[in-house]
Each structure stands twice: as C-alpha cells, then as structure tokens.
Amino acid sequence: MNDFSVSMAVRDYECDMQGIVNNAVYQNYLEHARHEFLKSKGLDFAELTAAGINVVVLKAELDYLSSLASGDVFTINVRLVKESRLKVVFQQEILRQSDQKQIMKARITATAVNERGRPYFPDELQRLLE
C-alpha cells in the first residue's frame, strides 16, 4: 500500500504512563495523513468544508499490531478505494521507519454529506479516485 505517504515522529506528550503512544493518538495520526493526502491531490479539507462539502467518517476499523514510543519516526501510507456509490475507504497503515514494522492497519470509511445532512458523492471526491 503506497498511493501516498507522510512521515512523522512521536512527541513525548503523546505517550501514556507505559511510555508508548496512547491509543487515541493514532487516530490523530491517521487523520493528519488523510488531510495531507487530500492536499497532495489539490484538495484542502477546510476549503471543501467552506464550499459545503462535508466529508465525514462513517466507520473506523483499527488494528493495533505493535506500539510506537517517544522519538520513533514512522510513515503513514494511504490508499483510497471506492466501496460503493456513496462511500470511500481510506486504507491506511503505520510503519515504524527504523525496522519497517507494521504498527497499525486501519480502514476508515467516509462519505460526503450535503447541507441537509444527506450522503452524496461530489465530483471533488470522484477526482481523487482517478
């Protein structure tokens, strides 16, 4: 999986009392990677929202396989696939760079909703799949 990648490093304050990254922090990492993926495709999440295109997460499936610790440098890979007429899935993984160990696998299902809260699939999202 490698349609898009972004690298980051663990910051001390992201770790819990056990000295590893708190489980909730991984969702922040994944979200940051999705937003950077959109930017790489010429779409800005804030601009989409301002234009009335609200991309929302419907489901987050996270498989925690190992842990990151303070100072670890890691890569988040992102691949986008269309799951149905109205849904896309961001397939993501986190790899520790020092040994390429897979830390997490994730499937984030998303759609866009209009101003009435109804799902739809705007052209902007369709262009991401081309």
Side-chain angles (χ1 to χ4, degrees):
M1 173 191 325
N2 198 357
D3 289 355
F4 175 81
S5 297
V6 63
S7 294
M8 298 176 67
V10 175
R11 296 161 288 215
D12 291 338
Y13 65 85
E14 296 171 328
C15 296
D16 59 21
M17 292 177 58
Q18 298 169 353
I20 58 175
V21 172
N22 180 277
N23 69 85
V25 173
Y26 289 97
Q27 289 205 48
N28 291 329
Y29 295 159
L30 296 171
E31 183 172 23
H32 175 73
R34 291 192 304 275
H35 287 202
E36 291 299 310
F37 168 77
L38 291 175
K39 284 183 187 176
S40 78
K41 300 290 189 178
L43 292 175
D44 181 272
F45 193 78
E47 290 174 6
L48 286 173
T49 302
I53 301 170
N54 297 297
V55 180
V56 296
V57 171
L58 300 172
K59 184 189 321 184
E61 300 170 73
L62 311 175
D63 293 324
Y64 296 90
L65 305 171
S66 192
S67 299
L68 292 170
S70 182
D72 281 344
V73 177
F74 58 96
T75 301
I76 307 166
N77 296 320
V78 180
R79 171 175 285 149
L80 183 68
V81 295
K82 191 161 184 183
E83 183 172 82
S84 70
R85 190 174 65 81
L86 297 173
K87 296 178 189 174
V88 292
V89 172
F90 290 90
Q91 297 174 343
Q92 295 182 262
E93 69 177 348
I94 297 176
L95 301 172
R96 184 172 41 230
Q97 286 186 7
S98 64
D99 59 4
Q100 291 302 299
K101 183 170 184 138
Q102 190 177 47
I103 304 298
M104 170 176 272
K105 293 188 308 186
R107 281 180 45 90
I108 309 298
T109 305
T111 192
V113 294
N114 62 21
E115 62 280 349
R116 295 175 317 200
R118 307 288 285 166
Y120 77 116
F121 204 79
D123 292 340
E124 290 82 354
L125 289 184
Q126 183 60 45
R127 283 198 307 270
L128 293 174
L129 298 163
E130 297 168 356

